[in-house]
Amino acid sequence: MFCEKAIELIRELQRMSDGQLPAFNEDGLRQVLQEMEALYEQNQSDVNEAKSEGRAELIPSIKLRHCCLLRNQRCIRPSLRIRALRWEYGSVLPPNIRFHMCAEELQWFGQYKKSLASFMRSLGGEEGLDITQDMKPPKSLYIEVRCLKDHGEFEIDDGTVILLKKNSQHFLPRWKCEQLIRQGVLEHVVS
Amino acid sequence: MFISDIRKEFYEVVANQRVALLVSSDIDALCACKILQALFHCDQVQYTLVPVTGWQDLGTAFLEHKEQFRYFVLINCGANVDLLEMLQPDDDSIFFICDTHRPVDVVNVYNDTQIKLLIKQDDDLGVPSYDDIFRDEEDEGDDSGNESDGGSEPSGKRRRFDEGAVERRIERQRERREWEARRREILFDYEQYEYHGTSAAMMFFELAWVLTKDTKDMLWWAIIGLTDQWVHDKITHMKYVTDIATMQRHVSRHNHRNEDEENSLSIDCMRISFEYDLRLTLYQHWTLYESICNSCYTSCSFKLWTLNGQKKLQEFLADMGLPLKQVRQKFNSMDMTIKENLRDVIEESSNKYGMKDIRIQTFGVHFGFKNRFLASDMVHATAALLESTEKDESDSDNFIKALDSLSRSNLDRLHSGIELAKKKLIAIQQTVASCICTNLILSQGPFLYCYLMEGTPDVKLFSKPMALTLLCKYLLKAFVHSTRNKRCKLLPLIMAAPKDVEKGTVIVVGIPPESETSDKKNFFGRAFEKASESTSSRTLHDNFDTSIIELKTEDRSKFLDALITLLS
């Protein structure tokens, strides 16, 4: 049936666990592209025939092929694989992921990065707003965190230094704490 | 110096700054801390919270944070000692102290620049006036100048002149000696007795009220702080009743605001209500029988450590018409008909058995269908968590757990606290019973003395100051009820229990004598200090309450002897 190869590519993507990328399946992609070309040519000839000879019964088959073409197109879009990576990993991709991307994908990624950055700069006044920090809009600027282990001194934006000792609690700007929360040094206290 | 306008002189000063909160380990301090944290969250004041358990901890915390912070808020620590001398801060550090410990050290009162006391000026203080204690040093120069002149050239006229000067000098010296003697006396009287003032949580609640940012949660914490002072016997009954009246005004103000006919509150909202409830500890979360057996008031009145007492208890229950099966059931599962008039029925019967004050004014909170707590329940639960003796848990771990249990969203922690509190109460009652039955309380002349041996069951629980103090008070009450010796009933009690087996130390606690009209003033702080000095015993006066010290086990006997001599 049509579009089977495209579906297989998607299944492959899904089979990999989160955060990893399967190797760039160049063969698979070429097959899908070939199928698309074949469909397109068939469609072209049918359209010409339909127009010149007025055979309306060809129209459903043209429609079907058109749908398959569109579907294939959607399935092989690079953004499927790569766009989410920007949000997950930030602007520098780890090498093991890069290894699995082909040159065009890397180029596409670079362009996506650029357009996202210019969008963020255009928001929120002069400095721009880093929307990759939070998935949902945060409820407050400052959060209360509790220190789970001794981490020593920690500097925040205005230069002040905080001593992170076990079991001390602090009320700090949210963005500064996110990294330490991810590392497990701080714990967000929800009361 | 005392702060008169807490909003302008404290809150607005720290509102745009970063603040370090140094909080002592007692329930009142925890509640005050919660209220202040809530206010700071509201206004996005950045702070760092550090728990401290004693003077050494306070010093360490200060040293660690003094580079980064200029403003320090001390809760329930720091007022009764010369703070500047102890911490040696830089000139630009400012301390805001909200402490219930009295007497406030005179240096703290009269320092205008670095120490700000968040205490009401008329809060039962009796601070000596400035001139009585501090004197300018200018007179010294005159005296010494005259002295050096006087000795060198004794010519005739000079001598007569000198005689006048000598007389004046002698007069001045005599005056000075008198002044110093008076000063010593005044200071001695002022600092002799240690007691407690208004709850810190109530102070901060008032701040919230002045800022009109008070919420029901904050009101509940303030009530818990006040109840902690009552449960641990830190304030007199009169003061408790007065403060309850103050809180009652706030409670009615909050309740009045919300409930009217059109929009009644959902069952999940928090409701605080005034209760004239029974003095049976934790009875709504336990069985009625257990609660009666393990509450200090009832246990001492019935003398439940004797066989006679047990019989009386059975009579009491029969008198009220409560079947044993019901009474031994969990309170929540008791028959509704019994629960309905329980308080009145118990009050009536207790009057017959000589317990006139079985009911006490307090507050209760109610949110959701299942969650009802009295303020004293919360105090016991949080205290049990704060002093839990599980292994691998440091003091600051316990502090954090106890702090968490005060939030409404951490109910499972609260329930675990209630279970721990039950165990603690049972342990206290059993220890009291065994001490009385084996006559472990000895009269040493000016005071009673009891020592818990190392092998005593649950003795680990009593290595913590609050638990040991509670045990001490219950034991004294029980002793007063059980002894026939009239003189012994008026004596204070000192108790010692092993604190750290490896280091070989004991914790020693002294409490004032038990009486109906006691003003809860404790003189053991000074007494311990003097006794320790005179015998050069190895003691550690680390606790913020000066009547609780740590002592090396070997020095116990000479320390006691010194105390006996001192106090007789």
Side-chain angles (χ1 to χ4, degrees):
Chain A
M1 207 44 259
F2 300 132
C3 306
E4 283 225 7
K5 195 63 200 167
I7 305 240
E8 209 184 287
L9 285 179
I10 296 200
R11 249 190 234 126
E12 217 178 83
L13 189 64
Q14 207 179 37
R15 222 176 282 140
M16 298 300 266
S17 46
D18 280 315
Q20 289 180 15
L21 212 58
F24 187 69
N25 194 343
E26 222 174 297
D27 264 347
L29 198 67
R30 207 176 305 128
Q31 282 179 24
V32 173
L33 286 173
Q34 278 174 358
E35 190 183 308
M36 283 174 75
E37 265 184 54
L39 281 172
Y40 184 70
E41 267 164 39
Q42 281 180 5
N43 251 6
Q44 270 290 68
S45 57
D46 271 351
V47 163
N48 285 336
E49 228 182 88
K51 259 209 244 177
S52 51
E53 293 173 28
R55 287 176 61 186
E57 63 264 16
L58 288 173
I59 296 191
S61 57
I62 294 175
K63 268 208 168 138
L64 176 67
R65 279 191 220 108
H66 191 68
C67 283
C68 292
L69 274 172
L70 287 177
R71 190 180 195 197
N72 276 340
Q73 190 187 48
R74 281 199 301 271
C75 289
I76 62 171
R77 271 210 301 235
S79 54
L80 211 60
R81 298 200 330 151
I82 309 164
R83 195 162 50 184
L85 293 176
R86 164 68 182 87
W87 293 83
E88 179 70 32
Y89 287 108
S91 47
V92 180
L93 292 175
N96 55 341
I97 297 227
R98 253 204 239 194
F99 183 63
H100 291 304
M101 290 168 69
C102 74
E104 285 89 13
E105 288 193 312
L106 286 171
Q107 201 183 34
W108 188 91
F109 185 75
Q111 283 180 345
Y112 181 68
K113 256 190 337 191
K114 263 193 221 136
S115 73
L116 183 61
S118 57
F119 175 63
M120 291 200 291
R121 251 198 308 273
S122 70
L123 304 169
E126 286 177 6
E127 301 130 11
L129 188 65
D130 190 355
I131 53 182
T132 56
Q133 284 286 343
D134 294 306
M135 282 295 135
K136 295 187 205 149
K139 290 274 175 197
S140 60
L141 286 179
Y142 292 86
I143 54 171
E144 174 149 2
V145 289
R146 178 175 299 162
C147 200
L148 297 174
K149 33 189 158 166
D150 279 328
H151 186 70
E153 299 191 340
F154 177 59
E155 191 168 336
I156 57 175
D157 289 338
D158 53 358
T160 42
V161 175
I162 302 184
L163 181 69
L164 293 177
K165 210 173 159 197
K166 183 159 193 247
N167 285 332
S168 56
Q169 283 189 207
H170 309 267
F171 191 58
L172 298 173
R174 170 183 286 269
W175 60 91
K176 266 292 160 181
C177 306
E178 298 251 306
Q179 211 193 19
L180 287 176
I181 294 179
R182 245 182 240 145
Q183 285 176 14
V185 175
L186 293 179
E187 179 195 13
H188 182 31
V189 176
V190 187
S191 57
Chain B
M1 62 178 260
F2 291 103
I3 281 198
S4 42
D5 184 343
I6 194 172
R7 175 171 36 179
K8 278 212 203 79
E9 297 177 47
F10 165 58
Y11 200 70
E12 289 179 4
V13 170
V14 300
N16 297 320
Q17 310 285 338
R18 296 181 50 244
V19 183
L21 297 182
L22 304 176
V23 181
S24 153
S25 297
D26 65 83
I27 313 297
D28 186 26
L30 261 74
C31 293
C33 172
K34 286 293 258 189
I35 297 179
L36 195 58
Q37 277 184 307
L39 283 175
F40 281 170
H41 285 198
C42 219
D43 290 318
Q44 302 197 332
V45 178
Q46 293 182 55
Y47 65 85
T48 292
L49 167 66
V50 182
V52 293
T53 48
W55 296 114
Q56 285 179 349
D57 245 358
L58 182 62
T60 327
F62 177 70
L63 280 176
E64 285 171 355
H65 290 97
K66 72 174 185 181
E67 303 294 320
Q68 296 102 30
F69 291 95
R70 201 177 143 217
Y71 293 97
F72 290 85
V73 178
L74 273 63
I75 304 187
N76 270 356
C77 51
N80 49 352
V81 126
D82 186 354
L83 201 64
L84 295 179
E85 196 185 306
M86 195 174 98
L87 298 179
Q88 303 281 336
D90 302 324
D91 285 333
D92 58 353
S93 299
I94 299 194
F95 297 90
F96 293 97
I97 307 180
C98 183
D99 192 348
T100 58
H101 291 102
R102 307 276 181 274
V104 183
D105 193 280
V106 289
V107 176
N108 289 343
V109 173
Y110 289 116
N111 178 304
D112 281 333
T113 48
Q114 289 186 276
I115 308 251
K116 319 266 177 187
L117 297 167
L118 301 176
I119 298 175
K120 289 223 174 76
Q121 197 141 356
D122 53 357
D123 190 10
D124 193 20
L125 289 172
V127 184
S129 70
Y130 183 78
D131 294 322
D132 283 341
I133 332 174
F134 297 104
R135 187 179 170 121
D136 293 330
E137 297 296 310
E138 288 172 15
D139 298 335
E140 288 281 358
D142 279 341
D143 282 351
S144 51
N146 278 342
E147 269 178 46
S148 55
D149 281 348
S152 50
E153 296 198 312
S155 68
K157 233 184 178 176
R158 201 62 189 274
R159 191 176 294 176
R160 238 176 289 132
F161 180 67
D162 276 348
E163 270 180 26
V166 165
E167 265 178 38
R168 269 196 306 259
R169 207 181 340 127
I170 292 179
E171 182 67 33
R172 247 189 307 237
Q173 282 176 357
R174 194 170 55 86
E175 223 180 64
R176 189 180 183 79
R177 273 196 298 271
E178 267 179 25
W179 179 84
E180 280 186 355
R182 223 183 9 233
R183 172 180 186 265
R184 268 196 302 271
E185 207 183 293
I186 291 178
L187 276 181
F188 179 75
D189 283 336
Y190 178 62
E191 292 174 355
Q192 189 185 31
Y193 290 98
E194 180 192 60
Y195 56 104
H196 287 265
T198 314
S199 146
M202 278 176 61
M203 280 302 301
F204 283 121
F205 178 73
E206 208 180 286
L207 169 66
W209 178 47
V210 164
L211 295 168
T212 56
K213 289 186 180 150
D214 55 327
T215 61
K216 276 199 178 144
D217 278 306
M218 293 188 201
L219 177 57
W220 181 236
W221 289 326
I223 291 174
I224 297 179
L226 170 63
T227 313
D228 166 56
Q229 288 195 313
W230 177 71
V231 165
H232 290 104
D233 223 15
K234 291 184 183 163
I235 54 176
T236 61
H237 190 70
M238 272 313 305
K239 183 152 176 54
Y240 175 69
V241 170
T242 323
D243 286 343
I244 286 270
T246 320
M247 288 284 107
Q248 166 63 345
R249 285 198 284 273
H250 288 291
V251 167
S252 38
R253 174 172 58 92
H254 275 264
N255 285 342
H256 197 257
R257 199 190 288 160
N258 287 321
E259 298 242 29
D260 51 334
E261 312 222 336
E262 294 102 50
N263 33 337
S264 68
L265 287 178
S266 117
I267 194 76
D268 282 326
C269 289
M270 186 182 193
R271 286 178 178 77
I272 303 178
S273 52
F274 177 79
E275 309 272 348
Y276 188 43
D277 212 335
L278 300 167
R279 223 196 254 207
L280 298 173
T281 328
L282 292 175
Y283 79 97
Q284 288 175 358
H285 305 273
W286 217 349
T287 72
L288 192 58
Y289 188 75
E290 290 277 342
S291 183
I292 296 180
C293 290
N294 291 313
S295 299
C296 170
Y297 187 68
T298 42
S299 156
C300 294
S301 304
F302 284 128
K303 297 205 259 273
L304 286 177
W305 52 87
T306 59
L307 221 57
N308 227 353
Q310 298 277 348
K311 274 200 232 159
K312 253 179 150 180
L313 175 60
Q314 304 289 345
E315 266 175 41
F316 175 68
L317 293 171
D319 185 63
M320 292 192 287
L322 298 176
L324 265 181
K325 211 171 125 195
Q326 285 294 326
V327 156
R328 284 189 193 262
Q329 253 208 16
K330 275 182 80 70
F331 188 78
N332 285 331
S333 331
M334 264 172 79
D335 226 7
M336 273 313 292
T337 49
I338 299 185
K339 275 202 275 191
E340 264 162 26
N341 319 0
L342 189 63
R343 292 186 206 168
D344 297 315
V345 163
I346 290 192
E347 185 172 16
E348 224 180 279
S349 291
S350 338
N351 278 328
K352 289 190 219 159
Y353 283 81
M355 295 187 285
K356 305 271 179 221
D357 307 309
I358 190 89
R359 284 172 90 163
I360 186 78
Q361 301 172 352
T362 183
F363 292 95
V365 77
H366 173 201
F367 48 95
F369 286 102
K370 287 206 295 182
N371 305 312
R372 279 175 174 281
F373 298 100
L374 288 177
S376 54
D377 297 343
M378 304 270 322
V379 169
H380 279 112
T382 317
L385 282 172
L386 189 58
E387 295 197 326
S388 122
T389 49
E390 305 281 324
K391 286 189 213 146
D392 303 332
E393 276 181 16
S394 71
D395 287 328
S396 42
D397 282 328
N398 289 337
F399 182 93
I400 296 288
K401 288 211 175 91
L403 195 66
D404 275 345
S405 75
L406 288 172
S407 301
R408 267 193 293 150
S409 47
N410 292 326
L411 280 176
D412 45 348
R413 194 136 284 169
L414 184 61
H415 284 294
S416 74
I418 290 182
E419 295 304 313
L420 282 177
K422 288 182 195 169
K423 288 201 192 113
K424 184 168 123 180
L425 281 170
I426 295 179
I428 290 182
Q429 285 307 126
Q430 285 176 346
T431 315
V432 165
S434 77
C435 284
I436 302 231
C437 292
T438 58
N439 286 327
L440 270 181
I441 308 180
L442 311 163
S443 166
Q444 298 285 354
F447 55 84
L448 300 165
Y449 173 68
C450 180
Y451 178 57
L452 287 182
M453 311 281 273
E454 233 163 84
T456 322
D458 302 312
V459 80
K460 253 183 64 177
L461 274 176
F462 303 124
S463 62
K464 302 274 179 181
M466 282 204 298
L468 187 59
T469 315
L470 210 59
L471 171 65
C472 215
K473 292 191 198 281
Y474 284 14
L475 189 55
L476 187 57
K477 274 210 181 88
F479 182 74
V480 161
H481 278 264
S482 72
T483 184
R484 299 230 178 124
N485 188 334
K486 283 230 157 79
R487 200 182 73 85
C488 280
K489 291 197 194 201
L490 303 170
L491 293 178
L493 172 64
I494 294 185
M495 241 185 125
K499 185 175 172 81
D500 191 331
V501 184
E502 290 159 6
K503 284 199 272 180
T505 55
V506 292
I507 173 172
V508 181
V509 160
I511 60 172
E514 166 73 23
S515 86
E516 296 280 316
T517 52
S518 159
D519 56 3
K520 316 285 178 196
K521 291 199 179 186
N522 195 332
F523 55 76
F524 281 114
R526 301 283 158 220
F528 284 166
E529 265 176 37
K530 289 211 179 92
S532 158
E533 265 172 44
S534 67
T535 57
S536 51
S537 314
R538 293 158 288 177
T539 53
L540 187 61
H541 297 259
D542 194 41
N543 201 298
F544 296 121
D545 281 321
T546 50
S547 56
I548 302 178
I549 63 168
E550 198 177 331
L551 169 69
K552 280 272 187 195
T553 327
E554 300 91 49
D555 296 337
R556 220 170 13 110
S557 33
K558 62 177 178 174
F559 183 75
L560 274 174
D561 289 331
L563 267 179
I564 297 175
T565 353
L566 197 63
L567 295 173
S568 17

